[in-house]
Amino acid sequence: MTTTRRGGVAGPAGGGAQVLRPLTPQPPDSPLPADSRLARELLDGLAEAVVTTDHANVVTLVNAMAGKLLPELTPGTELAGCPVPALARATSAGADSFDAEHHGRRLHGVRRRLRGDRYAWYVRDVTEEQARTDALLAERSRTAFLARAGSRLGLCLHRDQTLRAAATLPVPYLADAALVVHHPPLPAEHAPHCIWYAEGDPAPTAGVASRELPAAVPGLAEALGGDVPEPGPWPNAELAELAALPALAEVLPAGQHRPGTVLASPIPGAGGPACALVLIRWAERADFDQRDIDLAREFAARVGAALATADLYGEQAHLARVLQNSLLPPDLPAVTGVALAGGYRAAGDSLRIGGDFYEVFPTAGGALFALGDVCGRGVGAAVLTGRVRQCLQTLRLVEQRPLELIGLLNRALFDAPESARRSQLTTLLLGTLTPHPDGGVRARVAGGGHPAPLVVRTDGGVDAVQVGGMPIGALTAPRFAEAEVHLAPGELLLAYTNGVTGAQGGAGGTEVFGDDRLRQAVASGAGLPPAALIDRVLQFVDEWLDGQGHDDIAMLAVAADAR
């Protein structure tokens, strides 16, 4: 006999075939089969506990799962006073749910109302489900901790700042107290240094540790040696060894907490571990589990990366300071009968070095001055500036006449190797200053393609000293020019670079300051001493820039000394 199934109930038909009858849904009020054994089997086969009560909240039925999860509940038990506290409280309060931890299992129960003022409690074992949820939340918490730590460490550009962050960040999330032990860069004493921080401290405390400290703290000697020790108990009940350190004696919680578990981790460095992180939990806190250990190791690795970055930044900052100190314009010397003042602004504020410069060298009859502008800006221009200034320092010993000296400088730059002569174009003013018996100053100026210096008269008139010439370092046989000017008492000579006239600002932010505005600025300061006039011009330029960036700026003002 064949059977055909098409969404109905198969039945016999003539000729051995079956016909299909559509399924008839049972109405919700239709009676269930009165088979108590079947009902019991159905209840006992459920994966959740079922407890039914009468109108007085007395247990009338429990299934097999209820017998496992809630063995205290039997028919006849009053739920309001049952030995499952959470269920008893929910029953007394008329609540429709409860959560409890019972016999090592986590339970969640929901109450449903039945006919005749009866109730049924459906209780599920959510231990595994809750464990998965807790694990997910813990992982999210650990990820958030590492993200916060990474952001904080990423902002630490100095070694000390990074070490302090390493001590404070894991407290209190990973430990109740943290100790960072490190050996400072040479030259320094060989004794280890340490930074201590405990929960509640206003700030970390740094000090020089005793040489016995690595042996006193469990796992610290191994961590400093690059090993990865397992967490262990503190050998004593007190922080005696740490409290003995003078720098830490006042901040350690001696007598308030007992150290429980200690976890030491090496902080990796480029040349091997130079630091170690010690995490301490008080005795009343749970020990480190494997996830805590893994997180501590990962945090220590990130601290090591941040320390490497901070050390690299420190080396670069040191080199930048050395370069800056060697390239910044020097303090102007005192020259009898001559008043001098200089002004300097680099295009970038980070290193404060650039391609503009000025120099003044005292001579037997007065002084030799130079003001120049090399091609480019920033570090590259500063390096070329150093070469030009070094050549001037040497050549002035054999030649002090401006026109001849500028020619020697051009030859010296062209004698450099080809790689060193690339883009070494430099505009320059070289001049001598000789005090005059009438109280004035005679200035003899040679030019190499530089903007003409300005003479500010006592009546506010402004004259340009036309020296012209070609930039040095551009041609093997350039033409240079020379001019001479006499500065009467009260008159002033201002040499400047094109960073002044080329400053862009104004209403649209693109208009240059220009020669006319510079002339107006210096004319309004007629009669001022050199330093005051320099400050006045810089003020005018700053107002014109209105916070915008600018090119390198250098100025040198010369006047007869009225004293």
Side-chain angles (χ1 to χ4, degrees):
M1 180 180 67
T2 60
T3 303
T4 304
R5 301 182 182 273
R6 297 184 181 274
V9 178
Q18 291 185 334
V19 297
L20 297 175
R21 296 193 300 272
L23 293 172
T24 302
Q26 296 289 332
D29 295 333
S30 61
L32 295 175
D35 188 340
S36 60
R37 295 177 60 184
L38 177 60
R40 169 56 68 177
E41 290 179 2
L42 290 175
L43 285 173
D44 289 344
L46 295 177
E48 60 184 358
V50 179
V51 179
T52 62
T53 65
D54 60 13
H55 65 282
N57 288 320
V58 176
V59 176
T60 58
L61 180 145
V62 294
N63 71 343
M65 184 57 69
K68 294 180 180 179
L69 299 180
L70 304 167
E72 299 86 355
L73 302 185
T74 58
T77 302
E78 294 185 4
L79 286 188
C82 72
V84 184
L87 179 55
R89 289 192 298 269
T91 302
S92 300
D96 289 330
S97 64
F98 77 91
D99 291 281
E101 187 166 341
H102 194 62
H103 295 304
R105 311 297 294 178
R106 293 185 178 183
L107 306 179
H108 175 71
V110 177
R111 187 177 72 166
R112 295 287 183 264
R113 189 182 184 90
L114 305 178
R115 291 181 179 179
D117 291 332
R118 294 175 298 170
Y119 293 93
W121 281 96
Y122 300 93
V123 182
R124 291 190 303 114
D125 183 353
V126 295
T127 304
E128 285 73 18
E129 178 183 335
Q130 190 65 42
R132 290 192 295 271
T133 301
D134 292 345
L136 178 60
L137 293 176
E139 188 59 33
R140 287 179 177 176
S141 177
R142 288 172 169 81
T143 302
F145 166 75
L146 286 176
R148 291 193 304 270
S151 298
R152 173 83 175 276
L153 292 170
L155 297 176
C156 298
L157 294 179
H158 302 281
R159 181 180 177 85
D160 290 344
Q161 185 182 15
T162 305
L163 291 171
R164 288 177 175 270
T168 56
L169 283 172
V171 177
Y173 183 80
L174 272 174
D176 299 302
L179 178 69
V180 176
V181 181
H182 64 101
H183 291 280
L186 297 175
E189 59 270 25
H190 185 66
H193 289 215
C194 59
I195 299 177
W196 167 270
Y197 182 74
E199 186 177 8
D201 289 352
T205 304
V208 179
S210 66
R211 299 180 186 277
E212 292 76 21
L213 179 65
V217 178
L220 178 55
E222 293 86 346
L224 288 173
D227 295 332
V228 184
E230 293 296 321
W234 189 270
N236 303 313
E238 302 290 341
L239 282 171
E241 294 291 340
L242 292 179
L245 301 177
L248 304 178
E250 296 182 359
V251 299
L252 293 179
Q256 299 180 13
H257 295 279
R258 293 175 55 244
T261 311
V262 181
L263 175 61
S265 300
I267 297 178
C275 311
L277 171 67
V278 180
L279 301 178
I280 303 173
R281 287 186 175 180
W282 305 141
E284 56 267 25
R285 185 170 176 177
D287 294 343
F288 295 98
D289 60 23
Q290 188 57 48
R291 289 182 297 183
D292 295 331
I293 297 172
D294 294 340
L295 184 61
R297 308 296 193 212
E298 175 64 23
F299 174 71
R302 298 196 179 197
V303 172
L307 275 176
T309 301
D311 289 342
L312 179 60
Y313 175 82
E315 293 176 3
Q316 293 177 339
H318 173 71
L319 292 175
R321 286 192 298 270
V322 172
L323 180 63
Q324 175 178 295
N325 291 335
S326 66
L327 295 179
L328 282 176
D331 294 335
L332 295 177
V335 179
T336 303
V338 180
L340 298 165
Y344 178 77
R345 295 273 183 86
D349 294 332
S350 57
L351 292 180
R352 297 177 53 234
I353 56 177
D356 292 7
F357 67 96
Y358 59 81
E359 292 271 10
V360 176
F361 308 103
T363 62
L368 173 70
F369 76 87
L371 182 137
D373 181 0
V374 305
C375 178
R377 63 168 62 181
V379 176
V383 171
L384 179 54
T385 298
R387 293 187 61 247
V388 173
R389 291 172 62 184
Q390 189 63 41
C391 288
L392 277 174
Q393 286 273 9
T394 304
L395 294 175
R396 71 179 179 87
L397 299 177
V398 297
E399 179 60 72
Q400 294 183 358
R401 293 173 298 176
L403 190 61
E404 288 74 7
L405 179 57
I406 200 171
L408 287 177
L409 179 61
N410 186 77
R411 287 175 55 188
L413 293 177
F414 264 92
D415 286 342
E418 182 66 25
S419 59
R421 293 199 298 106
R422 294 174 183 172
S423 302
Q424 67 174 19
L425 184 68
T426 304
T427 64
L428 184 68
L429 288 176
L430 273 177
T432 56
L433 303 172
T434 306
H436 198 270
D438 65 359
V441 173
R442 182 169 62 89
R444 184 180 177 188
V445 185
H450 200 81
L454 301 177
V455 175
V456 185
R457 307 297 182 184
T458 55
D459 59 358
V462 179
D463 300 324
V465 182
Q466 302 294 340
V467 290
M470 296 180 178
I472 63 173
L475 300 171
T476 55
R479 293 191 302 272
F480 301 115
E482 186 180 62
E484 187 172 314
V485 61
H486 180 77
L487 301 177
E491 296 181 339
L492 182 145
L493 176 70
L494 176 68
Y496 60 92
T497 61
N498 61 7
V500 177
T501 54
Q504 293 186 344
T510 57
E511 186 179 355
V512 297
F513 188 71
D515 295 329
D516 292 339
R517 290 186 179 85
L518 176 59
R519 285 172 173 267
Q520 294 173 8
V522 297
S524 65
L528 292 177
L533 183 67
I534 292 287
D535 291 340
R536 185 176 185 85
V537 174
L538 287 176
Q539 179 183 357
F540 273 83
V541 173
D542 287 340
E543 292 175 354
W544 180 255
L545 289 169
D546 193 23
Q548 293 190 117
H550 59 84
D551 198 357
D552 299 328
I553 293 174
M555 290 184 288
L556 182 65
V558 179
D561 193 348
R563 292 175 296 176

